[in-house]
Amino acid sequence: MNPAPNILDKIPQLEPDIPVDGFAQAVFTQHLLWGGLAALVVLGLAAWLVVHIIRKRRGAQTTPPPTHAQVALAAISRVEEDLPAIRECSLRLSLILRTFLEAQAHDSSLYETHEEFTQRMDSLSGVPLSCQNATRDLFDDLAVCKYAREVEGSQALVGELAQRAAELVNNITREQERLAAETQQNGKEAAA
């Protein structure tokens, strides 16, 4: 029989002269490299975020939201471009003007029928006096057009109604600004 091999002879031996300091230096350098790379990525993301927030705030400050008049005028301009049938035109212009008056003059005509609007005693109380008759006249004409038949030449009437609506929006805005400036001036004079 063969003698049993010595198990201790089968265990490999490590090289005795490998310095431990070399391993420690390589691991430290590798950790330093990855840590520095991670720090650069975090700093880059933070810088990008700061720049993005600053640009967003500057952009928000330089472009104010459109005024109620600008929104109304843009919608009226779209009606003029579309040249819809007279009934659709009157409905669209009426809704545009009522929305404008609700936002600009705090008038509740947006939520009323034409009959309710004309019967309400305080209708258009937020609209300057110099613009109230023109507003009522335009709403009356729009109500008549709402029930009118489509006739030859009604496209010209659509253009005329859109121009009157745009003029009305501009006149109301201009008159409100004038009255506000006058009130401010009177307040300064009274305080002085």
Side-chain angles (χ1 to χ4, degrees):
M1 272 205 200
N2 288 338
N6 186 358
I7 192 129
L8 293 176
D9 292 336
K10 299 290 181 183
I11 297 175
Q13 296 292 321
L14 295 177
E15 297 178 25
D17 57 347
I18 298 177
V20 176
D21 293 342
F23 286 116
Q25 183 65 28
V27 169
F28 176 74
T29 305
Q30 190 176 17
H31 286 328
L32 186 63
L33 178 67
W34 284 108
L37 186 60
L40 283 175
V41 168
V42 169
L43 286 174
L45 286 174
W48 176 83
L49 184 63
V50 167
V51 168
H52 181 71
I53 289 171
I54 290 171
R55 283 185 180 167
K56 192 172 185 175
R57 284 188 181 166
R58 283 185 184 164
Q61 292 172 353
T62 58
T63 55
T67 64
H68 302 300
Q70 290 170 334
V71 171
L73 291 171
I76 291 169
S77 182
R78 282 190 299 276
V79 170
E80 266 186 305
E81 290 170 4
D82 295 347
L83 285 176
I86 193 67
R87 183 172 193 278
E88 182 185 343
C89 169
S90 65
L91 291 170
R92 285 172 64 182
L93 288 177
S94 179
L95 181 62
I96 293 165
L97 289 173
R98 289 170 185 261
T99 303
F100 169 73
L101 290 175
E102 196 274 328
Q104 186 82 9
H106 309 292
D107 189 86
S108 61
S109 64
L110 178 61
Y111 310 104
E112 300 174 325
T113 64
H114 182 70
E115 290 76 21
E116 291 170 333
F117 167 72
T118 56
Q119 292 174 0
R120 185 168 43 95
M121 295 297 288
D122 67 339
S123 66
L124 301 179
S125 60
V127 175
L129 287 173
S130 61
C131 300
Q132 287 183 3
N133 286 337
T135 305
R136 280 192 185 88
D137 290 345
L138 183 55
F139 276 128
D140 288 342
D141 291 347
L142 290 172
V144 168
C145 291
K146 189 178 357 178
Y147 301 107
R149 290 186 334 198
E150 194 67 32
V151 293
E152 189 76 28
S154 61
Q155 298 302 323
L157 183 57
V158 168
E160 177 192 329
L161 289 171
Q163 286 177 350
R164 285 176 59 195
E167 280 179 30
L168 182 65
V169 168
N170 285 325
N171 289 342
I172 289 172
T173 304
R174 202 173 16 251
E175 188 66 15
Q176 284 180 329
E177 289 170 354
R178 186 189 68 76
L179 290 172
E182 190 176 287
T183 302
Q184 185 179 19
Q185 183 64 28
N186 290 340
K188 286 181 181 177
E189 289 173 1

